[in-house]
Amino acid sequence: MILIGERINGMFTNVKEAIADRNKQVIQELAQKQTEAGASYLDVNVGTAASDQESAIQWLVETIQETCSTPLSLDSQKPAVIAAGLKAVNIENGVILNSTPLNKKSDEEVFDKYLEMAQQAGPKGSIIALTMDKNGVPQDIDTRVSIAAEIVSKATEKGFDTQRIFIDPIILPVKVPNAQVQPGNILSAIDQIKYLSDPAPHMTIGLSNLSQGATERSIINRIFLAMAISRGLDSAIVDVLDRDLMNAVATAEMLMNKQIYSDSFLKVYS
Amino acid sequence: MILIGERINGMFTNVKEAIADRNKQVIQELAQKQTEAGASYLDVNVGTAASDQESAIQWLVETIQETCSTPLSLDSQKPAVIAAGLKAVNIENGVILNSTPLNKKSDEEVFDKYLEMAQQAGPKGSIIALTMDKNGVPQDIDTRVSIAAEIVSKATEKGFDTQRIFIDPIILPVKVPNAQVQPGNILSAIDQIKYLSDPAPHMTIGLSNLSQGATERSIINRIFLAMAISRGLDSAIVDVLDRDLMNAVATAEMLMNKQIYSDSFLKVYS
């Protein structure tokens, strides 16, 4: 399971303040803690409040890299912010560009831009591609699968290895009215998308979005994550500091035979 | 979710002793507690140690029915024990006969016998049928599905409503060497079996068998149960007194839209 630690994000107050104050300690502690908890990548998102997003992401990348070599996931919808972050990244560790839709109404070339930057980031450069296009987030399974197919085909045409693509089928909050049908749709989409190519693209989700605004966030997150792992989800952007979540991941992987059962499988994982 | 409470079973020492001593209090407390915890049915299994299994099951049924009207699941591989239990059952509450393979080497008519008894038990009489035949427990998905198809077809021929059949694909302990591949197989079997007829048969599993002999039993049980609910499992024989398990069920059902999300969905369920 490729787990991307979500905590270095300007939407959290402590991170937002640390960015404004250029307080390295807060960021470096979050980087170390998430690494120790088992993060494969650290997400880096300056948030919408940062005054100069390009210099903010560079500062974040440099600050994290001073303290650990965990690969980073540069998280922005703006190609210029990703490009700025990339300048500071040690690409030998690997990097994910997070994330791009297939295209936007305002920018039909956005997917190509992210793909090109990932290619320039060397053999360990990956992208997260959202099953979303100029019409927004699809409400059904088939449109998600067909956008994913187009993503895989576009990347393959450009000689980009499918194993460097993470497809994100976009999970919506369970609390949003009329989005009630979504979690089951996401599971079916994962089921189908993993057969689009061989080797298959990775599948990822921004898990915490599911429980946005709900009162029982942790159990909603971990129960859905277990279901999704059983369909072939092999990556997720999560709170790796949530111990119950990490135990659920270890158990789900053991059950799906990605780890061998041993009496202390939870300890082995952590 | 049709949850069958597993605790009144002679394999548990307190139940075994209560049966030997004809101690009503132990049994009646287990019946009440499981009913309050949300059991749809109470499993009734005298265990292999009981000296006279036929009189023991009758005593259990009568003892439980003195204190609550929760429907019972008569649990024995011996038709004579089921028949004895049935004599004492209040069939107006409903009853499940648990369980029969399609046939056995030693008794090719065993499925027919259970079906006939379920028919005699009136409109609320159901059976649990194991995807198992004279060759034992299948090691693959396809054999499970084809045995299930034969079960559904045999029952339909005899005019038995498919909604009165619970198919149990038989989950083996994750700790058994070479059985590591089983949990994923069971999920795929559930996926396929539910399309065998319309209306579909119920799907059930004896969940606790999965974690037999393992150290982290509760988390293994609840993580697998969540995965299976996402495939269409609509019944399980479980420890309904395991609060974490019941919360996992509530969350899984909410995510699969079998319950509406509300801020207090866990409380509403319990």
Side-chain angles (χ1 to χ4, degrees), chain A residues 220-235:
Chain A
I220 291 173
N221 290 343
R222 68 180 175 263
I223 292 294
F224 183 77
L225 189 56
M227 291 174 174
I229 290 172
S230 85
R231 305 299 180 106
L233 187 84
D234 62 355
S235 169

Side-chain angles (χ1 to χ4, degrees), chain B residues 9-245:
Chain B
N9 188 316
M11 76 174 182
F12 294 106
T13 310
N14 64 337
V15 174
K16 182 175 150 189
E17 288 171 1
I19 294 171
D21 305 342
R22 295 296 193 258
N23 178 341
K24 286 187 174 183
Q25 200 191 338
V26 169
I27 303 301
Q28 291 179 339
E29 272 180 19
L30 281 171
Q32 282 162 347
K33 269 198 205 163
Q34 291 185 99
T35 300
E36 283 160 21
S40 322
Y41 285 83
L42 301 176
D43 201 57
V44 183
N45 186 322
V46 295
T48 46
S51 56
D52 176 349
Q53 296 190 12
E54 296 176 32
S55 70
I57 199 166
Q58 284 186 332
W59 175 79
L60 277 177
V61 169
E62 285 158 6
T63 301
I64 297 165
Q65 290 182 163
E66 275 174 21
T67 195
C68 68
S69 57
T70 314
L72 303 182
S73 154
L74 301 179
D75 186 354
S76 173
Q77 301 298 309
K78 298 181 184 165
V81 176
I82 298 282
L86 260 182
K87 280 185 200 154
V89 163
N90 180 351
I91 59 169
E92 284 174 21
N93 297 336
V95 65
I96 298 178
L97 310 189
N98 177 18
S99 59
T100 176
L102 181 59
N103 60 45
K104 290 188 201 178
K105 253 188 197 146
S106 59
D107 184 354
E108 296 232 339
E109 304 294 308
V110 63
F111 178 81
D112 294 341
K113 285 177 194 162
Y114 276 71
L115 196 68
E116 204 171 300
M117 289 191 286
Q119 281 174 314
Q120 285 164 0
K124 291 185 183 169
S126 299
I127 55 166
I128 295 180
L130 308 167
T131 61
M132 183 177 167
D133 61 12
K134 57 175 189 262
N135 300 314
V137 179
Q139 291 300 307
D140 65 339
I141 303 167
D142 290 350
T143 313
R144 283 187 162 93
V145 176
S146 79
I147 294 174
E150 215 176 318
I151 288 167
V152 169
S153 129
K154 257 190 123 168
T156 307
E157 268 171 33
K158 305 216 175 213
F160 194 76
D161 187 347
T162 48
Q163 288 181 290
R164 290 165 66 186
I165 306 172
F166 291 72
I167 305 266
D168 179 342
I170 312 172
I171 190 139
L172 299 177
V174 77
K175 213 185 160 177
V176 171
N178 301 326
Q180 290 270 340
V181 82
Q182 295 294 342
N185 277 3
I186 297 295
L187 296 175
S188 300
I190 292 170
D191 241 355
Q192 294 179 41
I193 292 171
K194 66 174 189 253
Y195 294 110
L196 285 178
S197 67
D198 185 12
H202 293 290
M203 295 291 311
T204 197
I205 48 171
L207 182 65
S208 300
N209 200 36
L210 175 66
S211 62
Q212 200 68 51
T215 45
E216 298 277 7
R217 297 200 63 173
S218 178
I219 192 169
I220 291 173
N221 290 343
R222 67 180 175 264
I223 292 295
F224 183 76
L225 188 57
M227 292 173 172
I229 290 172
S230 85
R231 305 299 180 106
L233 188 83
D234 61 356
S235 168
I237 305 162
V238 298
D239 180 5
V240 293
L241 304 179
D242 179 342
R243 173 55 46 199
D244 287 334
L245 183 81

